[in-house]
Amino acid sequence: MGTQASGPRITLSYRSLEWIGGVDGHLRLLDQTRLPEAVDYLDCRSAEEVWDAIRRLCVRGAPAIGVAAAYGAVLGCSRREPLRWEDVEQICAYLKTCRPTAVNLGWALDRMLRTAQRCLTEGSGTSGRMALPASLLREAQAIEQEDRETCQALGRNGAELIPDGGAVLTHCNTGALAAAGIGTALAALFAAWEQGKRFTVWVDETRPLLQGARLTAWELHQRGIPAAVLCDHAAGQLMGAGKVQVVIVGADRIAANGDVANKIGTYGLAVLARAHGIPMYVSAPASTFDLSITGGWEIPIEQRSAEEVSVGLGRRTVPEGVEVYNPAFDVTPAEWISGIVTERGIIAPVNEARIRERLTT
Amino acid sequence: MGTQASGPRITLSYRSLEWIGGVDGHLRLLDQTRLPEAVDYLDCRSAEEVWDAIRRLCVRGAPAIGVAAAYGAVLGCSRREPLRWEDVEQICAYLKTCRPTAVNLGWALDRMLRTAQRCLTEGSGTSGRMALPASLLREAQAIEQEDRETCQALGRNGAELIPDGGAVLTHCNTGALAAAGIGTALAALFAAWEQGKRFTVWVDETRPLLQGARLTAWELHQRGIPAAVLCDHAAGQLMGAGKVQVVIVGADRIAANGDVANKIGTYGLAVLARAHGIPMYVSAPASTFDLSITGGWEIPIEQRSAEEVSVGLGRRTVPEGVEVYNPAFDVTPAEWISGIVTERGIIAPVNEARIRERLTT
């Protein structure tokens, strides 16, 4: 599998989510809407609460919302008696609707569905239904644990791309807050730092919700890695001044041809990086690839509310009556990406043949 | 001169600044830090108050701060008795320190200095000193009036670049709030709209202080021109989707070779526009050109406080202890600019010969 990390294991002092208790337990989320001002937790005891927490971005990041949704399915199923196949189907279908772009959500919920099916088929009648909640919890915990291992491997594989002595630019948040494990793109920085490499990190603040400023800067600061936050549109000037050696970002969905849907702004960064001859890498687990779609044009892009831009920071900044354009993601063409870091190694150049070779063999 | 507009004259219902009264009057500013929530005015009765208002961006935009500073010199000189040449020099030198990048500031204050010198030389002793306050006020009013005419010409000349039926992207604020007249880049949109052209305007919100969202959107909305505000880093995706036909921005200082210092983010927009084959224009009065410097590398770039980014919108968005990189401007190379609109016509291609030809003949 290549997911068994052999390098040093990175441990962090915080986690984005945690299952508390047994089959009748609940999901505890680090409420990311409150960072960096407060480290608060949110306890979710129903599928609806998880749906709402994902929608409101209390938990976000493609791998993390996959794990959170799996636990949401556990919560949705744990208090139904009798629990039927139709109920599981309905709960998973419901949870899939909370956000459209990240494919990890559907991927994790499909695993939960397959687990339910297997449990109901293997157990006979009542015994299968009785075993179902425990089976679902085990599967959600397996998804979480696999994500932890995957993130370690992403860190180890990505670390080799990080220069010793240079500067790295990143966008949005791709650390431990975006996953169950230590993250995707940011994991590479954690691992490189652990290896003794020294560098600074330019952190795009990432409007409108400032996941870079609020979350990535917080994570790097916790780890003692020097970081400087910039307004997103200052990235070009930095590149022009020779102050960026590599760009590394995450992904919310990657098409079979390698086109990458990621936080809005990634497309522009790729154009800038190309124009300045700076390598730009994407880091994502295999679960972020959607080989069922040909290219990025098929990826549904979530449009989020105008209020995130117009009043999101406490005061009205866009006049009443003026429209706001607020897509959450954009799609970067495969040919502009220098390589994609996965838990199974780095895919470069980025094209369908290399992707299928790396992910399916 | 080419500054006498022959097309229809655009009038707007608001103005960025106004001199109230005679020689002992004061400067009234539309307080731009309060828009769009409130239309408030700030009365400045001393050079120090004007200095502070410019520094705090109650009034901003290269042409507007030139005019405001000229009135600041009037205020600084109007209450001194006896008023000596050294006082005028000192007041103008002081006012020049409030912001470093926009050359209009120094340009306007140099005009005030020349006026004072002329007045003191022509008048003999006491009579020259007695006439000085009135002469300075007349000069400030002349600078203001010339800016009004210049803006009309910028609008008329720029309007021909605006498509009928397409979409225009702009950055920061370059309208009547950035000038004494109707603006620079935005004046082209006002004039094109007046001519019956129909288009929509993509307004970069322009972090950190959101002059696009707060001011440009407000001005366009006042005029009934359809506008949509976007996060700055969404511009690339819009261009990639074919939704931008032309980019037009202002300038804070233009070097002899045509390199343009303008609001941070302009450099990145130029790279994006070039990559997508979209023309990008700059609109600026002759007073924004600084023919004394060879290229953009000589332009001093103002670094503004970290707080604009980290707490500027009412809540802390960058963790304590994390650095912030907050340059107010960047420099775009001349060769990436399709043309510069001036009151004397459009300079294209942008190079030193064309600039000198247009501005000095």
Side-chain angles (χ1 to χ4, degrees), chain B residues 111-313:
Chain B
R111 280 185 59 167
M112 298 302 282
L113 279 172
R114 284 197 301 275
T115 299
Q117 200 164 30
R118 202 166 47 237
C119 184
L120 292 172
T121 310
E122 287 171 4
S124 59
T126 313
S127 79
R129 282 205 298 277
M130 295 281 282
L132 190 48
S135 297
L136 290 174
L137 178 60
R138 273 197 304 277
E139 185 67 6
Q141 287 172 327
I143 292 171
E144 178 186 346
Q145 188 52 36
E146 286 169 32
D147 185 66
R148 295 186 185 284
E149 296 307 321
T150 295
C151 288
Q152 294 288 335
L154 289 173
R156 197 179 62 250
N157 293 341
E160 66 187 70
L161 304 170
I162 306 304
D164 188 9
V168 183
L169 186 137
T170 190
H171 193 64
C172 200
N173 174 263
T174 58
L177 294 171
I182 60 168
T184 57
L186 223 55
L189 305 186
F190 292 144
W193 190 263
E194 195 81 7
Q195 290 168 8
K197 288 183 180 176
R198 289 300 171 258
F199 48 85
T200 56
V201 186
W202 296 111
V203 179
D204 280 358
E205 62 170 358
T206 318
R207 283 285 284 153
L209 296 180
L210 303 167
Q211 291 93 337
R214 295 191 303 105
L215 309 180
T216 299
W218 183 82
E219 290 202 53
L220 292 168
H221 194 55
Q222 297 277 319
R223 200 70 185 167
I225 301 175
V229 172
L230 56 135
C231 295
D232 303 299
H233 57 163
Q237 186 270 339
L238 273 182
M239 291 187 195
K243 291 180 180 172
V244 178
Q245 278 62 57
V246 61
V247 178
I248 187 162
V249 299
D252 290 81
R253 191 185 302 212
I254 303 175
N257 72 344
D259 291 351
V260 170
N262 189 44
K263 174 61 55 189
I264 185 75
T266 303
Y267 176 99
L269 280 180
V271 173
L272 286 167
R274 237 162 77 97
H276 293 91
I278 298 167
M280 169 142 169
Y281 296 100
V282 169
S283 175
S287 56
T288 297
F289 288 78
D290 182 356
L291 300 184
S292 77
I293 60 172
T294 316
W297 55 89
E298 294 179 55
I299 301 175
I301 298 297
E302 180 180 8
Q303 299 287 331
R304 292 193 57 94
S305 80
E307 285 67 31
E308 286 186 352
V309 177
S310 60
V311 293
L313 290 157

Side-chain angles (χ1 to χ4, degrees), chain A residues 146-186:
Chain A
E146 286 168 32
D147 185 65
R148 295 187 184 283
E149 296 306 321
T150 295
C151 288
Q152 294 288 335
L154 288 173
R156 197 178 64 251
N157 294 340
E160 67 186 70
L161 304 171
I162 306 305
D164 188 10
V168 183
L169 186 137
T170 190
H171 193 62
C172 200
N173 174 263
T174 58
L177 294 171
I182 61 169
T184 57
L186 223 54

Side-chain angles (χ1 to χ4, degrees), chain A residues 271-339:
Chain A
V271 172
L272 286 166
R274 237 162 77 99
H276 294 90
I278 298 167
M280 168 142 170
Y281 295 100
V282 170
S283 175
S287 57
T288 296
F289 288 79
D290 182 354
L291 300 185
S292 77
I293 60 172
T294 315
W297 55 90
E298 294 180 55
I299 301 175
I301 299 296
E302 179 179 7
Q303 299 289 329
R304 293 192 57 93
S305 79
E307 285 68 31
E308 286 185 353
V309 177
S310 60
V311 293
L313 290 157
R315 58 173 284 201
R316 173 161 284 277
T317 55
V318 177
E320 302 265 8
V322 172
E323 275 187 47
V324 170
Y325 177 69
N326 185 24
F329 306 97
D330 57 26
V331 176
T332 301
E335 60 267 31
W336 295 354
I337 298 163
S338 310

